[in-house]
Amino acid sequence: MEFFPKIPTIKYEGKKSKNPLSFKQYDADKVIAGKTMREHLKFSMAWWHTMIADGTDMFGVGTMDKKFGAVSDMDVSKNRISAAFELMQKLGIGYFCFHDKDLAPEGDDLASFHKNLDIVVPLVKAEMDKTGIKCLWGTANLFSNPRYMHGAGTSCDANIFAYAAAQIKKAIDITVYFGGDGYVFWGGREGYDTLLNTDMGLELDNLARLLTLSRDYGRRNGFKGCFYIEPKPKEPTKHQYDFDASTVLAFLRKYNLMSDFKLNIEANHATLSQHTFQHELVVARINDALGSIDANQGDPNLGWDTDQFPTNVYDTTLAMLEVLKAGGFTTGGLNFDAKCRRPSMTHEDLFLSFIAGMDSFAFGLKAADAIMKDGRICDFTKNRYSSYESGIGKKIVSGDTTLEELYDYALNLGEYNVKESGRQEYLEDIFNQVMLSAD
Ligand code: XUL
Ligand code: CO
């Protein structure tokens, strides 16, 4: 059965096309810097937003049909699978990401939830085998159910910690069964609303205990991919422990988890933490921890996680510049953790949203490659630090100096001041010039 009969397979038609159901920028087989655009971008569909989110918000019920003609919860889950693979095939999306709870109804307790998963998960795998579509990463939803009101790994109730562990065990099993390359921990409700009732030290130690147990279980049971933490500063709690990339890196170092964990950087989470998307990607990259990306964008005038499809090509260019500088994705990819706006309620809107996001990142890739090839910005930055390549600078970098030597050196400089301009506007102009002529 076809769920989107009016939608054809989406093809690349080039930038002059006015056909909304075509790619204007994303030419999957085009080779850029030695790899096809498909290989560079590794687009992924987020099961929760695409197959489930129906526009429900705090002020109103859903506006979109995400039941795909089925009535019982199990049938809805099954129809979503066929619809998901039809959508991914028509868009040429090679990967998907999922929470355990996205795939099957929760039932009355954990045992019935896992029984439901055992029925549905092989159906997903059969579609994967048939289509060649892969799993980018899996995760467990440890935030929706009321039992996680105080957190999961950071709950005050040890029974809830055990419950979270059980869900993670099953979600890792499913990820391994799918051959997934990643397993994500987004700290759903791992944070606090008030410090008056919170033992922050114990909560952070427990969070690390849960991650360590999960890492050890995964490694013992065939998970060879990468574990990721997805930073976010707030929402749903007032203060999320995985605040931003730097905070998460400090946590991973403190608890000796750096060798198994990298970061899954989400654009809208970056802006919620008062950083740019580029900033978070740079922090991840320079720490060899750029694992994967949740591609979306926020609204600069709103203070919450709007999870919009990415259309700002300036930001996608800056993001792809960081991905290229990091040497490209290995286990990770670009997961559209994005949902249609509530009034964009038709199935066609779903396709149009993905097309907009994929074209924006495809353009970003071409523009980033052009900026790398143009070389002026990278060269300028490199030359800006040339004083560290010889003389006293070289000694500072190699660790061959002392504070006493630097004292004498500085006194001998006499009246010295820097001679170099930062030339920000010149660089921004080059950026625009190269970006706007990218093809
Ligand atoms: C929440 C969020 C999640 C994670 C997976 O803000 O981004 O969808 O990506 O749990
Ligand atoms: Co996300």
Side-chain angles (χ1 to χ4, degrees):
M1 179 175 167
E2 212 179 348
F3 289 91
F4 310 106
K6 294 198 190 115
I7 310 289
T9 297
I10 310 299
K11 299 204 181 72
Y12 171 71
E13 291 186 4
K15 59 185 176 188
K16 296 227 168 70
S17 172
K18 293 218 165 73
N19 171 11
L21 291 169
S22 74
F23 293 118
K24 323 296 181 296
Q25 300 289 338
Y26 181 51
D27 184 1
D29 294 314
K30 182 184 165 92
V31 175
I32 291 177
K35 282 200 287 194
T36 63
M37 293 185 92
R38 183 188 291 108
E39 289 164 333
H40 274 288
L41 294 162
K42 294 183 68 182
F43 289 128
S44 161
M45 179 205 79
W47 205 281
W48 53 103
H49 286 317
T50 313
M51 307 319 301
I52 296 170
D54 65 359
T56 301
D57 70 10
M58 246 106 80
F59 302 95
V61 297
T63 56
M64 307 163 192
D65 162 36
K66 295 287 175 79
K67 292 190 185 254
F68 300 101
V71 179
S72 78
D73 286 352
M74 271 309 257
D75 285 346
V76 170
S77 294
K78 288 178 188 168
N79 280 7
R80 281 175 178 155
I81 299 171
S82 315
F85 281 86
E86 183 186 330
L87 178 135
M88 288 187 278
Q89 278 185 293
K90 286 186 167 169
L91 284 162
I93 292 179
Y95 298 84
F96 68 91
C97 297
F98 71 98
H99 300 84
D100 51 355
K101 195 172 116 79
D102 302 339
L103 300 183
E106 275 191 288
D108 294 332
D109 56 16
L110 190 63
S112 46
F113 177 32
H114 287 180
K115 219 166 92 197
N116 289 343
L117 279 171
D118 289 341
I119 296 169
V120 170
V121 162
L123 306 177
V124 177
K125 180 71 164 62
E127 292 280 358
M128 294 174 70
D129 293 342
K130 203 163 81 191
T131 59
I133 290 169
K134 299 187 186 120
C135 170
L136 190 70
W137 51 258
T139 187
N141 178 324
L142 306 177
F143 45 91
S144 295
N145 194 293
R147 72 175 64 91
Y148 295 119
M149 67 174 85
H150 298 295
T154 63
S155 176
C156 49
D157 184 332
N159 287 344
I160 302 301
F161 184 106
Y163 216 103
Q167 256 187 270
I168 294 169
K169 176 183 178 297
K170 184 75 175 172
I172 290 178
D173 288 345
I174 297 171
T175 305
V176 170
Y177 174 65
F178 285 165
D181 268 340
Y183 186 89
V184 161
F185 292 88
W186 167 60
R189 292 185 192 272
E190 316 291 26
Y192 65 80
D193 291 317
T194 172
L195 288 172
L196 292 177
N197 67 9
T198 302
D199 182 342
M200 195 195 285
L202 178 66
E203 291 201 2
L204 285 166
D205 287 350
N206 280 350
L207 183 57
R209 289 180 181 117
L210 185 61
L211 299 186
T212 306
L213 290 166
S214 306
R215 189 269 318 268
D216 293 346
Y217 174 79
R219 294 303 182 222
R220 281 199 308 273
N221 288 278
F223 181 64
K224 299 199 170 58
C226 191
F227 291 98
Y228 308 122
I229 294 189
E230 183 178 320
K232 187 176 185 182
K234 56 184 170 187
E235 215 193 292
T237 69
K238 165 196 157 72
H239 178 100
Q240 299 276 129
Y241 289 134
D242 298 329
F243 195 93
D244 60 1
S246 297
T247 309
V248 171
L249 287 164
F251 173 91
L252 290 172
R253 290 198 172 102
K254 175 173 177 187
Y255 295 102
N256 284 321
L257 290 164
M258 275 301 278
S259 48
D260 295 276
F261 281 77
K262 288 191 172 176
L263 305 179
N264 182 38
I265 300 294
E266 176 161 327
N268 202 167
H269 296 180
T271 49
L272 285 181
S273 64
Q274 311 273 303
H275 299 307
T276 60
F277 185 20
Q278 183 194 15
H279 169 97
E280 290 292 85
L281 292 168
V282 173
V283 172
R285 175 173 64 76
I286 62 174
N287 284 282
D288 195 21
L290 178 49
S292 200
I293 287 179
D294 269 9
N296 60 20
Q297 70 184 27
D299 183 310
N301 299 116
L302 299 176
W304 63 89
D305 195 13
T306 60
D307 283 338
Q308 289 164 233
F309 275 86
T311 52
N312 181 329
V313 292
Y314 201 91
D315 283 345
T316 60
T317 302
L318 289 169
M320 288 314 296
L321 203 49
E322 291 312 314
V323 173
L324 291 180
K325 284 185 188 169
F329 292 118
T330 52
T331 52
L334 286 169
N335 174 47
F336 288 108
D337 193 355
K339 56 181 182 245
C340 298
R341 297 307 85 194
R342 191 167 181 266
S344 304
M345 80 294 187
T346 68
H347 285 165
E348 186 177 331
D349 284 306
L350 257 186
F351 283 83
L352 297 174
S353 306
F354 273 101
I355 291 168
M358 292 165 79
D359 266 345
S360 300
F361 263 96
F363 176 80
L365 168 63
K366 288 190 264 188
D369 177 56
I371 286 164
M372 296 280 275
K373 293 210 167 100
D374 175 86
R376 280 176 290 170
I377 295 177
C378 294
D379 288 350
F380 178 87
T381 308
K382 188 169 184 302
N383 289 336
R384 188 159 174 251
Y385 300 93
S386 58
S387 65
Y388 289 92
E389 281 161 21
S390 60
I392 193 71
K394 198 172 175 184
K395 287 179 101 179
I396 292 170
V397 170
S398 62
D400 288 330
T401 188
T402 60
L403 217 55
E404 293 88 326
E405 184 184 21
L406 290 166
Y407 178 86
D408 293 339
Y409 184 89
L411 286 190
N412 280 333
L413 283 174
E415 274 304 298
Y416 178 82
N417 205 345
V418 278
K419 296 177 182 60
E420 305 297 332
S421 160
R423 302 190 83 183
Q424 178 172 336
E425 299 78 3
Y426 158 79
L427 296 168
E428 287 168 344
D429 194 45
I430 294 178
F431 190 95
N432 283 352
Q433 180 207 342
V434 179
M435 183 181 83
L436 291 172
S437 47
D439 202 11

